[in-house]
Amino acid sequence: MKKFRIKISGQDFTRLQQLVLADLPTESGAFALMGIATFPDRVDLIVRRIIEIPKELFEYRDEYHLRVKPEAINGLIALCESNQLSAVLCHSHASGLIYSLSDDYGEKRISEAVQPFVPPNSPVASLLFSPDGINGRVWLPKARKPVPISEVVIVDRSIRRITLTSSAQPLRIDEIYDRQVLAFGPAGQAMIAQTKVGIIGVGGTGSAVAEQLVRLGVRDVVLIDPDQLDPSNLTRVYGTFASSIHKRGKGGPVLKIDQVASNLKRINPKVSLRVIPKNVVLTEAATCLLDRDVLFLCTDEHWGRSVVNQIAYQYFIPTINLGARIAAEEGQISAAVGVVDVIRPDKPCLWCSQFLKADRIAAESMPFKDRPHLIREGYVESLDTKTPSVVSITTTVAGQAVTQFLQLVTDFMGATGEISRLNYNVMDGTVRRGSATIPAECLCKKVRGFGDLMPLPTVANLDFLHA
């Protein structure tokens, strides 16, 4: 049977706690709208929006019972139907986390009223809060009894996991990680090992990220990169060797991703690797990222970045974006910078920070035959111009990004780990924090938490580029 888990932003989790626990010992409640993401082994219920219930819409409340008026339920139904989302029913107990018989009756009644108006076959979820913690369950269509929620995942400055049902045996930690256990403890090392990662782009930054993650003990990695090996890759791509370049000249194309994957297997033969030599804008590639816990965005293409940027907010998958740029003329560097963005719900996306460029995306998604004319006319910049790259700089940026990954999974930085952007100035050796304002109509707000209930901006094939 599939497991169910709730994914919620730290901001919304705190807001829900405030709403339902404010009047203790008197019970209180709230609603939420949620998107859904379905996988072979689990269903993620993604909280998009909190809905406060005005006090006048409670029929009665005391220390042991709670009932909302039909007007409140009708309002929830209208929101579910108009937004094509499902619902979360939230309430509190003064103590204890056991659902009462009145909870069973009330939730079943509301879920049956709501389910005709939510997307087909969608569950209605429930969260029970008390000073003792949290419990949860889902009501499936036409089910007589609810199914427990196994886990609540809170996406904040770190990824906090609250296990609600009995879990598997503790992960055995190999002694090769003893130095890291001294830093993060056994629980921290276990979190590193259990975190599923996706890396988009395995060039200068991506290959360095991949090698560091596998050496840290990450066990499950998806790699996406369609590019063939180029001789210049030897200077900055981890896992490439002179023999790789020689092999390239002996027959068919050698893919960069295969060289990187082979190197990772040499580091840890037990690592689970899924190698996808395709562009991430393709539906079959992008959908392989949806079950990941953390993504690393290391591609140079803005089109691919825009797709992964949307995935981060639509599915609540924290994504670490990396960029490095060197300005040089006649062999002289005039500027060199690196950027690391940690994008996640309620934090600025790559559109907010103006990292993404619409004209660049338009150019990358344009048929090849149309590009030269528009480049000559100055409407788009050339996509084939080589830019400077230096392994020490790309590796430094990768190291900063992997450190942010460690913050996400272990919270080792504590309150100081609330980071949106790091700006690395190579020329003066400084790293400064940065942020951006989230525009009211930004895409990251529009797609927030929909999961599978909203299509991704991917394409089935890239044949049109050759038309």
Side-chain angles (χ1 to χ4, degrees), residues 89-110:
L89 316 176
C90 311
H91 77 288
S92 60
H93 283 180
S95 63
L97 290 168
I98 304 298
Y99 284 92
S100 67
L101 292 176
S102 64
D103 293 336
D104 296 344
Y105 172 78
E107 287 186 358
K108 190 172 188 297
R109 178 177 62 89
I110 296 174

Side-chain angles (χ1 to χ4, degrees), residues 335-355:
V337 296
V339 171
V340 174
D341 297 289
V342 187
I343 60 176
R344 58 206 189 277
D346 303 322
K347 296 298 178 184
C349 76
L350 299 183
W351 287 112
C352 299
S353 63
Q354 300 182 15
F355 190 98

Side-chain angles (χ1 to χ4, degrees), residues 183-366:
F184 303 117
Q189 186 60 42
M191 286 296 296
I192 293 169
Q194 293 168 353
T195 301
K196 297 180 179 180
V197 174
I199 303 173
I200 304 92
V202 293
T205 57
S207 63
V209 163
E211 175 148 343
Q212 291 180 50
L213 290 177
V214 171
R215 290 187 183 279
L216 281 168
V218 172
R219 297 184 173 193
D220 190 333
V221 182
V222 168
L223 302 175
I224 297 180
D225 193 311
D227 292 342
Q228 295 181 19
L229 186 68
D230 181 271
S232 69
N233 293 150
L234 184 62
T235 66
R236 65 189 184 281
V237 177
Y238 288 76
T240 60
F241 305 92
S243 57
S244 306
I245 305 302
H246 180 69
K247 181 180 177 182
R248 173 179 175 270
K250 287 292 185 180
V254 175
L255 296 177
K256 184 169 34 175
I257 197 170
D258 289 337
Q259 299 300 302
V260 173
S262 176
N263 185 53
L264 299 179
K265 279 291 189 180
R266 290 174 63 191
I267 297 169
N268 182 1
K270 295 180 180 179
V271 66
S272 172
L273 291 179
R274 185 169 183 185
V275 176
I276 304 169
K278 297 182 182 296
N279 194 311
V280 74
V281 304
L282 291 169
T283 303
E284 63 177 302
T287 52
C288 294
L289 299 173
L290 305 184
D291 71 337
R292 304 288 91 187
D293 300 308
V294 178
L295 301 178
F296 284 86
L297 189 42
C298 307
T299 178
D300 292 331
E301 295 184 347
H302 284 231
W303 189 11
R305 286 183 192 271
S306 70
V307 170
V308 179
N309 181 76
Q310 182 160 331
I311 288 172
Y313 293 87
Q314 194 164 318
Y315 287 85
F316 280 23
I317 306 175
T319 297
I320 303 173
N321 175 65
L322 292 78
R325 181 176 289 273
I326 298 173
E329 201 168 319
E330 298 182 355
Q332 181 67 42
I333 295 176
S334 58
V337 296
V339 171
V340 174
D341 297 289
V342 187
I343 60 176
R344 58 206 189 277
D346 303 322
K347 296 298 178 184
C349 76
L350 299 183
W351 287 112
C352 299
S353 63
Q354 300 182 15
F355 190 98
L356 290 171
K357 304 295 183 184
D359 58 348
R360 179 65 183 252
I361 295 171
E364 292 173 358
S365 58
M366 184 183 302

Side-chain angles (χ1 to χ4, degrees), residues 43 58 62 71 79 113 156 170 181 188 199 222 231 236 250 263 289 312 317 347 411 422:
V43 178
F58 288 103
D62 60 27
E71 294 93 326
L79 288 170
D156 205 351
V181 170
I199 303 173
V222 168
R236 65 189 184 281
K250 287 292 185 180
N263 185 53
L289 299 173
I317 306 175
K347 296 298 178 184
D411 198 29
L422 295 176

